[in-house]
Structure formats: C-alpha cells, structure tokens
Amino acid sequence: MRSSLLFESLWGSESGSSSLLCSSPALPSWPLPFLISISLIMWNALYTAEKVIIRWTLLTEACYFSVQFLVVTATLAETGLVSQGILLLLASRLLFVAISIYYYYQVGRKPKKV
C-alpha cells in the first residue's frame, strides 16, 4: 500500500491501480530513454581501458543515484510516509553514491612510484 502511494506521489497519478497509471497522461516519457542511455554508457564502459571514460561513467552513475535519492527524499518530505523499506532504499542509494565517488577518485589517482 505504501509503495503504491509513493509511486502515485512520484508520478502525480490519482488512481491506485498500476494498470490505470500506465495509461495515465501524467506519466512522463523521459525516464525510459534516460535509463536506456545510462545503461548503454555503463555497458560500453565495461569494454574500455581508458581512465577518462571510466571516470565519466562513474560520475554519471553517482549523479543518477544522487538524483534518485533527492526525489525519494522530497517525496517523503511531502507525504510524510516513512517505513523501514524506504529508509533501506535511501541508505542503499547513499551507499551507491559513496562507492561510485570512491572509485571515481581511485581511478583518477596517479600510481605511486615504488
């Protein structure tokens, strides 16, 4: 019940069922192409050895998870619904941001001379 309320508040739907939500004109069309483009960037970064591309991919990932964290936090502030699952979601987003930024800096470091 709470997850459907969170989803409704994110997408601006007034209906409770997901079948009506999919046909709603309030459903934005930008997330799917955005997610596909980010997944293609990350997939192509797996096959490269260039540090610049890997760093940009990690930075893109960190920005994506930061935006997700901000959207969920803003939604929680508006609705006032807080559950253990949503707090776990927020904690996982922060963890993903921290890991991405850590690897971003580690990839950019110059190797130590022995």
Side-chain angles (χ1 to χ4, degrees):
M1 180 70 178
R2 288 184 180 170
S3 63
S4 66
L5 184 59
L6 178 66
F7 192 78
E8 289 173 12
S9 63
L10 281 174
W11 300 111
S13 173
E14 296 178 8
S15 63
S17 69
S18 61
S19 63
L20 291 175
L21 183 63
C22 291
S23 63
S24 172
L27 185 65
S29 61
W30 60 267
L32 185 61
F34 180 71
L35 290 175
I36 290 172
S37 65
I38 284 184
S39 63
L40 286 174
I41 289 170
M42 291 182 186
W43 184 262
N44 288 329
L46 290 174
Y47 298 108
T48 187
E50 294 183 30
K51 283 186 174 184
V52 175
I53 294 175
I54 294 171
R55 288 190 81 203
W56 274 104
T57 304
L58 290 168
L59 188 62
T60 302
E61 184 178 340
C63 291
Y64 174 71
F65 286 128
S66 299
V67 168
Q68 280 188 343
F69 177 80
L70 291 174
V71 167
V72 172
T73 304
T75 303
L76 289 177
E78 288 179 7
T79 60
L81 294 176
V82 178
S83 69
Q84 194 173 27
I86 294 176
L87 292 177
L88 183 63
L89 174 75
L90 288 174
S92 69
R93 296 297 183 231
L94 281 178
L95 179 67
F96 294 153
V97 168
I99 290 172
S100 296
I101 290 174
Y102 173 75
Y103 279 113
Y104 173 79
Y105 285 115
Q106 290 300 318
V107 168
R109 291 178 65 189
K110 297 187 188 241
K112 294 180 181 179
K113 295 183 180 179
V114 179

